[in-house]
Amino acid sequence: MSFPEHRSRRLRGSAAMRRLIAETHLAVSDFIYPMFISERITKPVPVESMPGMYNLPLDNAIDEAVRVYELGIPAVLLFGIPAEKDADGSVSLRADGIIQQAVARIKSNVPELLVVTDVCLCEYTEHGHCGIIRENDIDNDATIDVLAQQAVSHAKAGADMVAPSDMMDGRVGKIRSALDSAGFTSVPIMSYAAKYCSAFYGPFRDAAGSAPKFGDRQTYQMDIANSREALKEIAQDIEEGADIVMVKPALAYLDIIHQAKQKFDVPVAAYNVSGEYTMVKLAVEKNIADERRLTLEILTAIKRAGADIIISYHAPDVAKWLAEG
Ligand code: PBG
């Protein structure tokens, strides 16, 4: 197999030939679009650190969900910003909480759009940690009880799928059995299975007002240095009942996405997180790259690595670009 009989460039000579042999194709059906819905505002408020993203009050969130559905995006992932927070995040359990209302209203306006809810405490606790704090430490087992109740309240509101993002031990199993006991045996769990303690979440914490007020998340999110541990976390979540497993962030963790895809027989989701999004937006603002090419290159790489599903703030733009061809 050597030159001159073999010339790789033969298959690169025209757009049609390149299309014919392309191994990876992005589709609008690959995407989940995250939305920030806030109880604190009456008009959309731009997220300063995420150009193009907004905190939305309920009414505008419904309009946005309609727009997303019309673009052909199959699902949204909802994050709630409550008017009030407390020590234990109990406001996250209210039947009339911001997420519960948002789910119900989106499902009644756009029933075919899949509504996925983020299950966590950091947006609801005054201290901003993803768990309940007792004696200056995260109380894992008290936290997973509340998360299980939260998941059930989302399902009651009509959520199509729940996505726990806290990284406490045992939460997938707890949530599965709570959903089952409450009659929601058919609501799947997409677990943030390998979620790293990453510097790429900065803009999200600004958007969701969820930065920890003290300390960091190193005792629950994964060490960026580890890959074997990611496979163990994923295996454990599948064992506990996760239907879809997620790797997060995406771009700096393509190796983890690849290994997850090779090793497990469940759909793999990758979260193209806020910091990855904002890096692209800032590079484009500075004329360092073409937005469409840079974004599609990153997302194609995430899919090529093995992601079946991509959660991305770029989803509406991608939908438009793919429709343009
Ligand atoms: C936490 C949560 C985070 C994100 C989604 N869910 C951030 C964190 O751990 O602080 C980050 C998403 C992003 O950066 O886009 N419940």
Side-chain angles (χ1 to χ4, degrees):
M1 292 280 254
S2 58
F3 180 81
E5 291 79 8
H6 290 277
R7 291 175 183 267
S8 300
R9 293 184 55 213
R10 276 185 205 127
L11 296 181
R12 295 177 199 146
S14 68
M17 186 63 84
R18 291 190 293 270
R19 229 174 99 216
L20 192 66
I21 66 151
E23 298 173 37
T24 310
H25 300 271
L26 285 175
V28 65
S29 57
D30 299 332
F31 288 89
I32 297 179
Y33 181 57
M35 292 173 55
F36 302 111
I37 306 177
S38 174
E39 208 171 25
R40 299 168 174 230
I41 54 179
T42 51
K43 286 198 307 263
V45 176
V47 178
E48 230 158 277
S49 59
M50 298 180 74
M53 288 297 297
Y54 292 82
N55 278 355
L56 300 171
L58 209 45
D59 287 337
N60 298 81
I62 311 303
D63 298 344
E64 180 70 349
V66 172
R67 180 179 81 102
V68 165
Y69 175 71
E70 284 171 354
L71 285 167
I73 296 165
V76 289
L77 173 60
L78 306 187
F79 294 95
I81 302 153
E84 280 158 49
K85 306 190 183 212
D86 62 18
D88 291 353
S90 59
V91 46
S92 72
L93 305 178
R94 285 174 35 184
D96 65 345
I98 180 68
I99 281 299
Q100 289 81 353
Q101 287 191 56
V103 170
R105 291 207 31 210
I106 294 175
K107 284 313 291 182
S108 78
N109 281 271
V110 219
E112 281 155 64
L113 181 67
L114 287 174
V115 175
V116 187
T117 56
D118 186 79
V119 172
C120 197
L121 290 183
C122 62
E123 299 115 83
Y124 303 95
T125 51
E126 285 153 350
H127 47 71
H129 276 287
C130 304
I132 289 174
I133 294 184
R134 299 274 183 261
E135 286 152 25
N136 290 318
D137 203 6
I138 307 278
D139 185 333
N140 188 92
D141 300 10
T143 300
I144 63 178
D145 280 335
V146 178
L147 293 171
Q149 293 173 48
Q150 192 187 119
V152 170
S153 90
H154 292 175
K156 280 187 181 148
D160 295 297
M161 180 154 74
V162 293
S165 69
D166 53 289
M167 287 299 277
M168 299 300 140
D169 289 322
R171 88 278 205 216
V172 173
K174 263 273 174 206
I175 290 172
R176 184 69 271 157
S177 64
L179 287 172
D180 290 353
S181 318
F184 298 107
T185 52
S186 54
V187 172
I189 299 173
M190 174 169 71
S191 77
Y192 289 65
K195 176 174 176 181
Y196 285 87
C197 192
S198 168
F200 284 99
Y201 306 148
F204 172 93
R205 291 179 188 174
D206 174 27
S210 63
K213 296 273 183 322
F214 59 88
D216 55 38
R217 306 209 202 286
Q218 291 190 74
T219 72
Y220 41 104
Q221 299 181 346
M222 280 187 51
D223 186 335
I224 59 165
N226 296 352
S227 66
R228 228 174 25 212
E229 189 191 359
L231 300 179
K232 180 175 153 237
E233 283 278 7
I234 294 170
Q236 207 165 328
D237 279 8
I238 294 172
E239 180 85 20
E240 289 178 33
D243 300 279
I244 298 175
V245 292
M246 191 201 300
V247 175
K248 176 184 173 191
L251 191 50
Y253 299 86
L254 296 177
D255 56 328
I256 309 299
I257 296 170
H258 183 71
Q259 292 181 74
K261 175 61 166 218
Q262 301 290 311
K263 185 146 186 175
F264 301 105
D265 293 323
V266 300
V268 174
Y271 200 141
N272 172 225
V273 300
S274 58
E276 299 171 49
Y277 170 84
T278 297
M279 283 199 309
V280 168
K281 290 287 180 183
L282 297 187
V284 170
E285 255 174 53
K286 298 263 185 216
N287 284 317
I288 290 167
D290 174 75
E291 181 167 14
R292 176 180 159 142
R293 283 190 59 202
L294 185 60
T295 306
L296 293 180
E297 181 172 340
I298 290 170
L299 297 172
T300 302
I302 293 169
K303 187 160 182 192
R304 193 188 63 229
D308 299 291
I309 299 166
I310 304 173
I311 300 158
S312 179
Y313 306 98
H314 296 291
D317 287 334
V318 173
K320 281 182 221 149
W321 293 328
L322 294 178
E324 285 161 21

